[in-house]
Amino acid sequence: ISHLTTMAKKEPEKYKSEFFNEYSYFLKEGICQDYEFQEQLSKLLLFETSKTLDGELSSLDEYISRCQISQKKIYYLQAPTRQMALDSPYLEAFEKSGKEVLFVYSAIDDFVFSNLTKYDDRELISAEKGGLDLDKETDEKDEDEKKDDKDTKKDDAVTTGLNQTEIDHFCAWLQSDALGSEKIKSIRSTKRLGASPAIIIDHESAAFRRMMKMVESQGGTSNIPPLPKQAMEVNPEHELIVGLNALRESEPELAKVCAEQIYDNCLVAAGLMEDGGRSMLGRLNDILLCVVKKGNEDGNVNAVVEDIADSEDKTSSDGIAVEESDEDEKKDKTKERKDDK
């Protein structure tokens, strides 16, 4: 361990290429089993983060060195790939607050963080945890930032969203009438979301369930317990939630279908849609049929198609912009290294 620690400090590239890339699984297994050396082994861990480039690894100590002074927790997000982590609704709140998040891609990483629980006296917290209050961990802002925040709040005041009474009635309808108590144990509003209408929180690890499924299939059985009741957070400012709240009065059956789709979208985002989404294909076709019929009745089919196309173009251009930004950043870093030499 001492030799590896020295290599990681003095020859980080050699450590990453010759040891970590080949033996990281065994290192993580040691953290889960050898409690005597757990602290020393955890210093050898490397992860991609929301602020590093694709393929660039960072240690927990390096992550802490970049944290805001007031941040006392280490946040991580489990996802199958980096792109899926970047697209995750669970990352939205951290992007708004400027906080860095570790990206973990394998099932064993969940066990690692469950066993560690803390590193350098800082709690290890999943980004999918409910009730996160990131504003309390944000450093004091300068006068320009404070002014920007005030202007943003003024703009938000103009935005049409649900008031508290509407939120309470909507959440009660969503839990009791639309989704049912057999699926949902609690629903509440949240301010952490921006582009997403809702998320599942405090849920069972998707990576752990996938590993259970793999183990059960190898044993020739399929005794994986069904999904437990979920806790849900909704974004009362999102256009889809505002529209659904109005739709439940005018088109109650259609509103229920849309609510079920939003719930399934949340399961997909959390990695908990275990049948690959096949169970919602019929419902999606029904929703598409309603859109087409409505467009034909109003003569607005072209407008609907244009809106969808504009949305796809924006997503595509955003992706290209991110890729170009990453390439520029890589070139800058390469130039800096050459200058240093």
Side-chain angles (χ1 to χ4, degrees):
I1 295 176
S2 176
H3 170 70
L4 292 173
T5 302
T6 302
M7 185 194 296
K9 287 182 179 178
K10 295 185 177 181
E11 300 175 282
E13 294 304 319
K14 182 180 179 181
Y15 170 75
K16 292 172 186 177
S17 61
E18 293 187 8
F19 177 78
F20 191 81
N21 288 344
E22 293 293 330
Y23 303 105
S24 61
Y25 183 89
F26 301 103
L27 177 65
K28 294 171 183 178
E29 186 178 11
I31 291 173
C32 296
Q33 295 183 350
D34 195 340
Y35 296 103
E36 182 181 353
F37 298 101
Q38 191 178 72
E39 183 178 349
Q40 293 155 276
L41 290 172
S42 63
K43 291 183 179 295
L44 297 171
L45 292 173
L46 298 173
F47 301 97
E48 289 188 20
T49 82
S50 57
K51 292 189 177 181
T52 60
L53 297 176
D54 186 7
E56 184 179 354
L57 300 176
S58 182
S59 69
L60 292 174
D61 287 329
E62 289 171 333
Y63 171 93
I64 291 173
S65 70
R66 296 191 293 266
C67 286
Q68 298 173 347
I69 297 173
S70 57
Q71 182 178 332
K72 303 302 180 186
K73 295 181 177 68
I74 296 173
Y75 298 101
Y76 67 93
L77 176 61
Q78 204 285 329
T81 65
R82 177 180 180 84
Q83 190 57 52
M84 291 180 74
L86 291 171
D87 293 338
S88 173
Y90 297 101
L91 193 62
E92 290 179 16
F94 297 91
E95 290 178 329
K96 286 193 289 186
S97 63
K99 288 181 173 56
E100 190 171 8
V101 179
L102 300 172
F103 289 161
V104 298
Y105 305 128
S106 64
I108 194 172
D109 290 320
D110 271 351
F111 287 101
V112 169
F113 286 120
S114 297
N115 278 274
L116 279 178
T117 65
K118 283 188 176 184
Y119 179 84
D120 194 26
D121 291 327
R122 296 170 188 254
E123 282 186 87
L124 294 161
I125 303 293
S126 170
E128 298 171 56
K129 181 179 175 63
L132 293 177
D133 190 356
L134 302 179
D135 291 337
K136 288 184 178 179
E137 289 191 328
T138 303
D139 292 342
E140 288 297 320
K141 301 175 181 178
D142 59 33
E143 291 303 317
D144 290 337
E145 287 178 312
K146 288 179 180 178
K147 184 178 182 297
D148 290 340
D149 284 350
K150 287 180 180 178
D151 292 340
T152 301
K153 286 178 181 177
K154 287 179 182 178
D155 293 339
D156 289 344
V158 179
T159 303
T160 303
L162 303 183
N163 59 42
Q164 191 57 53
T165 302
E166 290 173 327
I167 291 171
D168 293 339
H169 290 163
F170 177 79
C171 289
W173 167 80
L174 194 60
Q175 182 173 357
S176 60
D177 296 341
L179 300 177
S181 56
E182 68 277 3
K183 289 183 179 179
I184 298 293
K185 64 180 178 182
S186 66
I187 300 178
R188 64 188 180 195
S189 65
T190 182
K191 294 181 179 178
R192 67 182 283 178
L193 296 174
S196 302
I199 53 172
I200 295 294
I201 56 169
D202 298 329
H203 53 79
E204 188 178 23
S205 166
F208 180 67
R209 286 189 68 86
R210 285 197 299 271
M211 191 163 69
M212 281 178 60
K213 187 175 182 180
M214 181 180 67
V215 171
E216 291 286 344
S217 63
Q218 288 177 347
T221 61
S222 57
N223 296 325
I224 301 174
L227 279 176
K229 295 180 181 181
Q230 302 295 324
M232 194 174 181
E233 288 185 344
V234 298
N235 178 5
E237 299 293 331
H238 197 279
E239 186 177 4
L240 186 54
I241 298 299
V242 174
L244 186 59
N245 183 57
L247 189 65
R248 69 186 180 92
E249 299 292 341
S250 59
E251 298 279 354
E253 292 306 314
L254 177 57
K256 287 182 181 180
V257 172
C258 293
E260 289 173 356
Q261 187 59 50
I262 290 173
Y263 172 74
D264 278 355
N265 291 350
C266 292
L267 292 181
V268 171
L272 296 175
M273 181 60 73
E274 295 179 336
D275 65 351
R278 288 184 290 273
S279 60
M280 62 181 179
L281 290 178
R283 187 193 315 124
L284 281 172
N285 287 332
D286 290 340
I287 293 173
L288 290 172
L289 184 59
C290 288
V291 172
V292 171
K293 285 183 176 179
K294 183 66 174 174
N296 284 326
E297 289 172 2
D298 297 343
N300 289 329
V301 175
N302 290 334
V304 172
V305 172
E306 288 173 3
D307 287 343
I308 294 173
D310 289 343
S311 177
E312 290 178 346
D313 288 343
K314 183 179 184 301
T315 302
S316 176
S317 63
D318 287 346
I320 293 171
V322 169
E323 289 177 5
E324 290 177 347
S325 175
D326 282 352
E327 288 299 320
D328 291 341
E329 198 169 343
K330 285 180 181 177
K331 289 177 183 177
D332 291 341
K333 287 198 172 186
T334 303
K335 185 176 183 303
E336 287 175 4
R337 291 191 186 111
K338 288 181 180 178
D339 292 342
D340 289 341
K341 289 180 180 179

